[in-house]
Amino acid sequence: MSEARPDYTSQGKYARLIPTLADSKKEERATSILLAALMSVYEFRKAMLQSINKRVGERTKLEAWTEVVFKNETPINQKKSPDDRPDGLVVLNTGRTKWHALVEAKVGSETVGEDQLLKYIKQAKEHGIDAVITITNQFVAFPTHHPVTIPKKHLRSVEIFHWSWTYIVTMAQLLLAQDKIESQDQRFILHEVVKYLEDPGSGKAGFTSMNSEWKTVVQSAFNNTKLNKNSEEVLKTVGSWHQEQRELCLQMWPLVGEKVEVKLPRAHRNDPKQRLADDCERLASEHLLISNIDIPNAASDLTVTVDLTRKSITCSMRLEAPKDRKSTSAKINWLTRQLPSNEKSPAISIKAIRKGQALATDKPLEEVRKNPNILDVENTDAQPVAFEVFTSIDLARISHSTSASTAPRPPCY
């Protein structure tokens, strides 16, 4: 490797796996280590860049620099600010084309604001750079979404992407767990990078708390007080919920051994602003926060529902009833034989769902096991067309602390 910088730069250090930086420079250290790992480990580079829709072949080269300064730069401020200098620059070279991206990283509770992101977008435009990638401890549904809303007029020639540090570590852990890295040396490198980033001293952090307005929103819903879908407290609550959804999915990746994703309709995949608006509407009108999670090889999606009026969290899966079983008890036995039976399992209940006006009935799993007819409904012979397997937590019993680290996770996680 020549380590020669692009000709539009006047300064920049080649990304090092072992950077010679002061311990206090956590941000610069983490950025250098990550960029060096992307250069060093082919499967990691391929997976991370595929997440932002960039194809990486075995002959595709990636080079990266940190603390980049540009030549002949149009002054953004009269006085140069550290925020004007991106933390990194990556160049992806396929042999035929080159793709360039600026990287801005934050650790701990620091975030990239709109003004700073707009500065980097402007720099990218001036130097023909294709994208800006931000890395913080904030979570987004997909790397193609961004925690900062930028008007589309600024994004006509520059794309913006976002990775959370947790997403980066989880992707690396998944590659290691699936034994997808062919080179033992590269596997060792990625393992050591994961160990570094998992250490609290690196600045990586998970989602630790809902927004400060969470307690007020919950109490308002509980008291049946009208919520304004456009209010700051509702917008921030839904934004926090979106981050929590993503972290829950990332926590499940190593447990399942596959990617677990928030399942979004196409309109929400293509437009995060519409997703936010629709979820704010639901929170204001129904006092519900709902997430559908796609788990590979599972019988159905997992639905997590936070009901603020009831102060409860419910995790559920819906299954179609088998059509080759004639009686209700036969259909129920088909279901219960597939469910765990041990004391350590969460308190699971079964709901039988029928067509039309026929009543849906639910009972605890252990009662259904003993008597499958317990889900029958009097005065109707309507058979269940589907079952819902669910478990719930009564949040009214939990302390009113807003800390997600002290509140229990839903049992299904």
Side-chain angles (χ1 to χ4, degrees), residues 43-71:
E43 291 86 356
F44 182 50
R45 171 169 71 250
K46 180 179 178 181
M48 292 303 300
L49 290 174
Q50 278 184 339
S51 75
I52 56 174
N53 302 321
K54 306 309 298 181
R55 295 182 63 182
V56 176
E58 291 187 11
R59 296 184 180 181
T60 303
K61 295 180 180 180
L62 180 80
E63 291 189 285
W65 296 263
T66 62
E67 301 179 49
V68 174
V69 176
F70 298 103
K71 289 180 180 177

Side-chain angles (χ1 to χ4, degrees), residues 382-401:
Q383 297 289 313
V385 295
F387 296 107
E388 185 177 295
V389 183
F390 68 93
T391 183
S392 294
I393 304 176
D394 182 1
L395 295 179
R397 299 177 184 176
I398 299 174
S399 166
H400 290 294
S401 170

Side-chain angles (χ1 to χ4, degrees), residues 7 31 84 115 119 182:
D7 56 12
T31 304
D84 293 340
D115 289 345
K119 290 176 185 177
E182 294 184 5

Side-chain angles (χ1 to χ4, degrees), residues 350-362 375-377 386:
I350 305 295
K351 178 186 289 185
I353 302 168
R354 296 173 173 84
K355 284 185 178 180
Q357 299 299 316
L359 183 67
T361 53
D362 64 85
L375 292 176
D376 286 344
V377 179

